[in-house]
Structure formats: C-alpha cells, structure tokens
Amino acid sequence: MAAVDTRPAAARPTRPARRRSAGAGGRGLKGFYVALATVLAVVTVFPLLWMITSSFKGPDEVVNGRLTIEDPTFDNYVYVFTQVPFLRYLANSLFVSVVVTVVALFFHSMAAYALARLRFRGRETVFVLVFSTLLITIPAIIIPLFLIVRELGMLNSYAGLIVPAVFNAFGIFLLRQFYLSVPDELEEAARIDGAGYWRVYWSVILPLSRPIFSALAVFFFLANWNSFVWPMIITSDQALTVVQLGISGFQDQYGADWNYVIAASTVAALPTMLVFFVFQRQIVDSIKTTGLK
Amino acid sequence: MTVGEKAPEAAAPAPSAAPVGRSTGRGKAETRAAWLFLAPDLLGLLTFLGLPMVLSVALAFMRVDGFGTYEFVGLENFRRMLGDPQFYDSLRLTLVYLVLVVPLTFGASLGLAVLIQRRMPFVGVFRSAFFLPYSVSVVVVGLVWEFMLSDDVGVVGIALRAVGVRPPSWLGDPDFALFTVVGLCVWFWMGYYMIIFLAGLQDIPRDYYEAARLDGAGAWAVFRHITWPLLAPTSFFVLLTLTVAAVTGGFELILVLTNGGPSNGTSVLVFYIYQQAFTFGEFGYASALSAFLVLILLAWSMMLFALTRGGRFSHGRS
C-alpha cells in the first residue's frame, strides 16, 4: 500500500493503456459483474414489485404465486378505502409529517445559525451537549419519554405525535456545518444596512438554506411518514391513527385476505417510493453527510 | 448541499466554529440573540432527550404503576432481572441475532458498494434498485414478507416446492423464525449502508487504483491493499451505527412480523423490554432491562474505539 501512493502522478495510465490491459478477459469479467448486479437488483426489488402486482389481483389469484396478472382489478383498493377510514390515516400521516418537518427545519436552522454565526460565551459547551444527544437512541429512552409525554397530557393527541418528533440533533448539526461555510460578506452587507440578528437570519440565512432544507425535508418527511412504534405507543384513538398503524391494524383484522392487506400496504408505500424516486439524489447526499462528517 | 454530480464536495469538512471576525462592541446583544435563537431547540432537546436520559437511570430503581405513582425500590428490579429466565433467553437471542445481522449486513453492503463502484452500464439503475427498500416503512416490509413467506400461499414456498425443495416454516418454526428475521434485516438495510460505503469509496483517490492496475494487481489485491485499509474509518462508523440500528430496527420488524413469537423464538431483548413496559405496564423493570442494554451498547462502542484507536485503525500510525 505504501508503494502505490508514492508513485508520481505522471505514472497514471492513459485511457488506451488501460483498455489494452483489460483486454478480452476484462470484457468477460465486466459481463459477469453486470449479470451479478442484475440478479441482486432483481432479488432486492422483487418483494416490492410483488406487492404492487399482487394488489391488483383478486382473492383467488393473489395466492397462486404467478408473476402475471390474469384478471386485473381495482376492487382491493376500493375495499381498503371504503372499509376502514384509510383517507383519514393518510391525512393524519401527511399532517404529522409535514408539521414536524416544517417546525424542525425552522427550529434547527435557528439553533444552527446561533451555533455557527453568533459569538457568545458557552457556545462550544452548548454545541458539545447538542452533539452528544446524537448518541441517545430511542429504545434507551422510550419508556421515560412515554411517561413524560403522559405527564404533559399529550397521550392521544396530535401534539404527542408531533412535538417529541421535532427535536433531534442531526438537523442542527447538518445545518450548522452548512452555515459555517456561508461567506461573511453576505451577512456583513446586511449588517451595514442596519439589519438586526433576526433580520439577518430571516432575509440572508434562510433564503441561502434552500438546498440543504430540501435535502433535510425529504429525510424528515420519510422518517416521520414511516414512523410506527411511537404512534403505536401513544395513540389509541381511531381519529389519530397514522397510516403505518392503520395498515398493521388492517392486517390484524383481515389477516388471511392478502389481497386487501397488500393493497393497503401499497397505498402506504407509494408516497415514499415516489419521494424516493424524485429526490433520490438529495437522500443520498444527506445520508452521506450525516453518515460521515 | 449541492445537487450536482460530486456529492462529497458538499460534505467537505467545514472549518471548525472559529469566532467570526467581528467587532466586540455588540457582545451583549449578540449573546442575548444567540440564546433566543437556541431556546426552542434547547428546550425541546432537554425535555424530550435529556430528561428522559436522566430519568431512564432513575426509573430502573423504581416501581411505577399505571396511575403514575413512583416508588423507590433500590436494586429490586435488577435482582428480578438476574432471576428471570426469559431475560437470559432474550439476551441469547439478541446475541445470535447481532452476531449474524451485523457481519452479514456489513459484508453485503460493502460488497454492493464495491460492485457498483465499477465502471459498468446501468450503474444508476442498480444503485436505485439496491437502495429502494430503504424508502418503505418497516410495517410495509413486514407485511409484504409475511405474505411472501406464508406457509401455504407464499410465493417463496410455491417457487421452492415447484423445484422440489421443501421450504421450512419461515415464520412459524420457533427455531427458524429468528434466521428469517436476520435475512429480512439484511435485505432491508444493505442499500442504506451501501450508500455510506460508496461515500467512503469516493474519498479514495483514483490514482491509487490506476497505479495498482499498472502494477498488475488483481481485483482481490486491490481490495485487500487499497480499498480495505483506506475504507477503515467508514467501516468503523458503519460497524458502530449498524449495531445500534440493528438492535432498534430488528425490534420493529419483529413487532410487525412475529410479535416475539412463535414461542418467544424472536423475543430479543428490546422486544422483551417493550413487552414489559407497554404490554404489562412494568415500567420500572423494563427500565432496568434497558439500562442493562445501554451498558452493553456502550461497552461495545468503547471496545470498538479501543480496538481501532478511534476508527483510525493501524494505518493511522505512520
């Protein structure tokens, strides 16, 4: 390993050289890798494809194990939306996810602005404390968290679903990193015009945050839309049921009617798969950043 | 963060929070503004993360009943833990689960990352495909797989029987269900960690690979002598977060798939904690169990740090 990195940059092979060294055997190997990747990709995606196709099959066809759809039907979807208040579940999830995302972005960017751009005594301490909460995992605190939320009278309420989900250090950390790289000049210009801290934050920092906000928003939205254990613990009211809870309850009720259960799952999964395909780049970027830096 | 082609540039190490050059006259106003900006998040983090953390220790020494009375009982919860056979069972299952899930997910995600880092057609399609399961919820994953693995009508069983293999009862056999859970976890998570490994791979200078190829190094030698050592910080990070995520995420999948069964065959420690707290209302005892789990995870993290010198591994010495 030590030998390779001492090589002068001039030793880098030119394109034709590499192609020659790869040769015919290299092309065969490449074919093998593509084939391997294809097989693995099919294995990875198959369950979700199977879910979508099965949701269009009737009760007899859904259990025959065939890939084709003989007699496509929308009955399962109609059933799901008419037998249980599925629209309500979807609306609840949408409401909770959107509110958490918006409030979290707002609060986290405020905190991150203070930590990155303002000078005050205790800043390093606050940052270390905030950062250390990254180490706290939910199972470690879910019991006291439940008891606190109960004491605050937030069981069975939107507040209970929303408020505890807002606060996490990931967002603060990421936004702080971003704000550290904002050039001073932009802030100074506003300051010279007589803008106070809030004005600077509101009209300089927030508009600059758009790209990182979109990445974080996708992240927060997915996490909250897919959240399951916390809503299950703190809500029992039908009117508050979020979609993940809805489909798991649906299965308890219609266990063997796989065509209905799978259609319900598809409805719950489609928005996230859509978000995934549209915002894949942002998701990948924010994972890379939260993951490593 | 850029949305451009070169993602890591956006993640370039930002300068540390050095004081921004500015006149000192505004000190007091600036301090006040800063605390006001911080107030909402600090209050929230204290209430919903800090306080629970402190309480989780305190609760382990208490008995809590459904009406919200808290009574100090000393070490009673821990004494009960030591005499509880189901605690030992859940601990054993957790170990088996972790010993399988962590290396398998690690290997699978690293393998996928190395595979699609090559120049080949449809790389973008492959990456999306491997990463796709990450977008769906644990409930959806649980339901879809329960459908596919159900004994009589599941497509996996039907396919296996068609080629003359008698499939096991994936989720119905107490001795087998945990392995099914392990397999599903790997399927579910490998795409996510693949992305993290890909980020690490991108940080390795291309020149190293070119030079190695010039020297005639084979694929394995390149991996062994370039990729693996230079990827060490990423590997450390993945190992650390994967362990914690496996403890949590596996529990959620188990909750949906098997509810700890059959015959407690998948009742891992976090599931047992959950059951004690939210099924039986034994918040004190559950807190003692979770304090124990946190200690184990802490010990594991510290051991990883010690073994790898804080994620630098051996090549950091030179």
Side-chain angles (χ1 to χ4, degrees), chain A residues 108 119 232 244 280 285 291, chain B residues 2 30 41 128 137 237 274:
Chain A
H108 296 346
R119 272 197 307 174
M232 184 169 73
Q244 306 300 336
Q280 197 187 156
D285 285 352
Chain B
T2 67
E30 191 161 355
D41 252 358
S128 299
S137 72
F237 175 82
Y274 171 86

Side-chain angles (χ1 to χ4, degrees), chain B residues 223-243:
Chain B
F223 177 82
R224 173 77 187 76
H225 295 293
I226 297 178
T227 310
W228 180 250
L230 289 176
L231 207 57
T234 312
S235 303
F236 166 75
F237 175 82
V238 167
L239 217 53
L240 198 65
T241 50
L242 176 59
T243 313

Side-chain angles (χ1 to χ4, degrees), chain A residues 9-24:
Chain A
R12 254 182 282 162
T14 51
R15 273 179 185 280
R18 186 172 57 248
R19 205 169 289 153
R20 208 182 312 133
S21 71

